[in-house]
């Protein structure tokens, strides 16, 4: 169970994604893997795995928006990175995060 701040964070993230989509900008946290991994990192669990507390934060979305904006300053440098390298990094991040997702464990 989580508090109202978590719901508010999800609402703000959805609203920002709506605005970004209407403006043709990239979505923030467009996949569920980073959301679930981030939420798992903010939870405090007991030895049985039961969730005791979820640390509430709104700074994550602020800093993710800020870093996406700052990345525009480095477009010329980022163009030098080959696309297969970038795709490989994102593939690695996604596959390495699957082990912490309960749904993925149930599917296997």
């Amino acid at each position: 169970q989580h508090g109202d701040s978590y719901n508010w964070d999800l609402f703000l993230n959805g609203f920002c994604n709506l605005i970004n989509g209407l403006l043709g900008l990239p979505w923030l946290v467009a996949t569920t893997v980073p959301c679930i991994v981030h939420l798992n990192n903010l939870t405090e669990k007991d030895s049985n795995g039961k969730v005791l507390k979820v640390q509430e934060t709104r700074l994550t979305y602020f800093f993710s928006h800020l870093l996406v904006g700052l990345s525009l300053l480095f477009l010329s440098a980022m163009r030098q990175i080959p696309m297969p390298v970038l795709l490989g990094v994102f593939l690695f991040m996604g596959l390495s995060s699957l082990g912490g997702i309960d749904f993925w464990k149930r599917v296997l």
Side-chain angles (χ1 to χ4, degrees):
Q1 190 173 13
H2 47 75
D4 294 335
S5 297
Y6 178 72
N7 294 331
W8 184 242
D9 284 342
L10 287 179
F11 172 76
L12 287 177
N13 189 28
F15 181 74
C16 290
N17 281 338
L18 174 71
I19 299 299
N20 286 356
L22 291 174
L23 296 175
L25 299 172
W27 283 15
L28 298 173
V29 191
T31 62
T32 57
V33 173
C35 294
I36 294 170
V37 171
H38 178 67
L39 183 61
N40 283 337
N41 290 334
L42 293 176
T43 57
E44 187 177 312
K45 298 179 182 179
D46 63 5
S47 59
N48 296 329
K50 184 178 178 183
V51 175
L52 300 174
K53 177 182 164 184
V54 176
Q55 176 68 36
E56 306 290 351
T57 180
R58 290 188 183 98
L59 291 175
T60 303
Y61 297 120
F62 172 75
F63 283 117
S64 64
H65 282 79
L66 181 68
L67 289 174
V68 167
L70 289 176
S71 69
L72 296 175
L73 300 173
F74 302 103
L75 283 179
S76 60
M78 288 191 292
R79 285 191 184 110
Q80 302 300 320
I81 302 172
M83 187 59 71
V85 172
L86 288 176
L87 295 176
V89 168
F90 290 126
L91 179 65
F92 173 77
M93 288 175 16
L95 291 176
S96 64
S97 300
L98 285 176
I101 300 174
D102 290 333
F103 177 75
W104 182 254
K105 291 177 187 175
R106 282 185 246 143
V107 168
L108 292 179

